[in-house]
Amino acid sequence: FPTRRSSDLLNELGGPVYYMLLWTWEKLAGDGDLALRLPSLAAALAAPVLILFAGHPDRKMRLCWSGICAVWIPGFAIATEARSYALLFLLATVQAIVFLRLLSAPSLRRAGFWVAVTGAIILTHYFGLFISAIQGAIFIVARRRSVATTWPALLGFAPVILWMLFHLSFLARLGGAGVAWQSVVPPRA
């Protein structure tokens, strides 16, 4: 990471959040292998702990959800990598908790917090767009009357939109043949 040029970051499917955090961490802890892997370990451990204390009003539900996340097999792998996936897991955990609270009692404040966490997820990895779009659709359908009072929270997506516009050339290239690690599926398929 420390030797990467800033232009290399424009060729990542994720946004700048993880790299900004890791860059800051590297200034404090150094660029050794252990130092660069510690943030992922901390994020992977923080997710089940967060669930345990704030995940759901029902204690049994919190224990079950936290336990499943704690023993989730891919979690062990992402906890040991100097990559963005553990941070994505933690942010998705926060997003799920915030989304459940937003659904239970919609407010502009809760919507704003959901937008902030969702923006962080998307700026960590674009795959966060999918679950975020589904949650947004669920909110619109389930809380139709609250949309009129919570829509100003959407203004919080401005940094996400600006970054994605800046990053658009990479995203356009990603759809071309020979760029992505997966094969391009032609329309006739």
Side-chain angles (χ1 to χ4, degrees):
F1 176 76
T3 59
R4 293 186 86 163
R5 296 182 316 271
S6 60
S7 62
D8 289 345
L9 298 180
L10 293 176
N11 294 315
E12 290 285 332
L13 190 53
V17 170
Y18 174 74
Y19 295 105
M20 290 185 328
L21 292 173
L22 197 60
W23 180 82
T24 304
W25 173 252
E26 184 261 338
K27 300 299 178 214
L28 299 170
D31 63 358
D33 192 47
L34 177 63
L36 293 178
R37 292 171 188 263
L38 279 177
S40 290
L41 178 62
L45 293 174
V49 171
L50 176 65
I51 293 166
L52 190 60
F53 291 103
H56 194 275
D58 181 74
R59 182 178 177 269
K60 287 182 183 179
M61 182 67 74
R62 283 193 318 268
L63 288 170
C64 183
W65 184 12
S66 178
I68 289 169
C69 287
V71 297
W72 180 52
I73 301 299
F76 296 113
I78 64 173
T80 61
E81 297 177 342
R83 298 177 73 190
S84 64
Y85 300 117
L87 176 61
L88 194 63
F89 178 56
L90 175 60
L91 289 171
T93 300
V94 173
Q95 183 191 42
I97 292 168
V98 170
F99 182 66
L100 290 173
R101 291 180 181 174
L102 175 62
L103 277 179
S104 68
S107 70
L108 182 58
R109 181 173 179 257
R110 286 182 177 191
F113 193 46
W114 180 81
V115 166
V117 174
T118 298
I121 287 173
I122 294 167
L123 291 177
T124 299
H125 202 288
Y126 289 143
F127 287 164
L129 275 166
F130 299 110
I131 190 71
S132 301
I134 291 168
Q135 286 180 357
I138 289 170
F139 179 77
I140 290 168
V141 170
R143 298 294 183 196
R144 202 175 356 249
R145 293 182 182 160
S146 298
V147 172
T149 58
T150 58
W151 75 264
L154 295 176
L155 297 173
F157 281 129
V160 175
I161 293 167
L162 290 173
W163 170 259
M164 290 181 78
L165 287 172
F166 179 69
H167 205 210
L168 193 58
S169 63
F170 167 74
L171 296 175
R173 282 193 332 267
L174 190 65
V179 177
W181 57 268
Q182 71 276 6
S183 300
V184 175
V185 179
R188 70 179 184 281

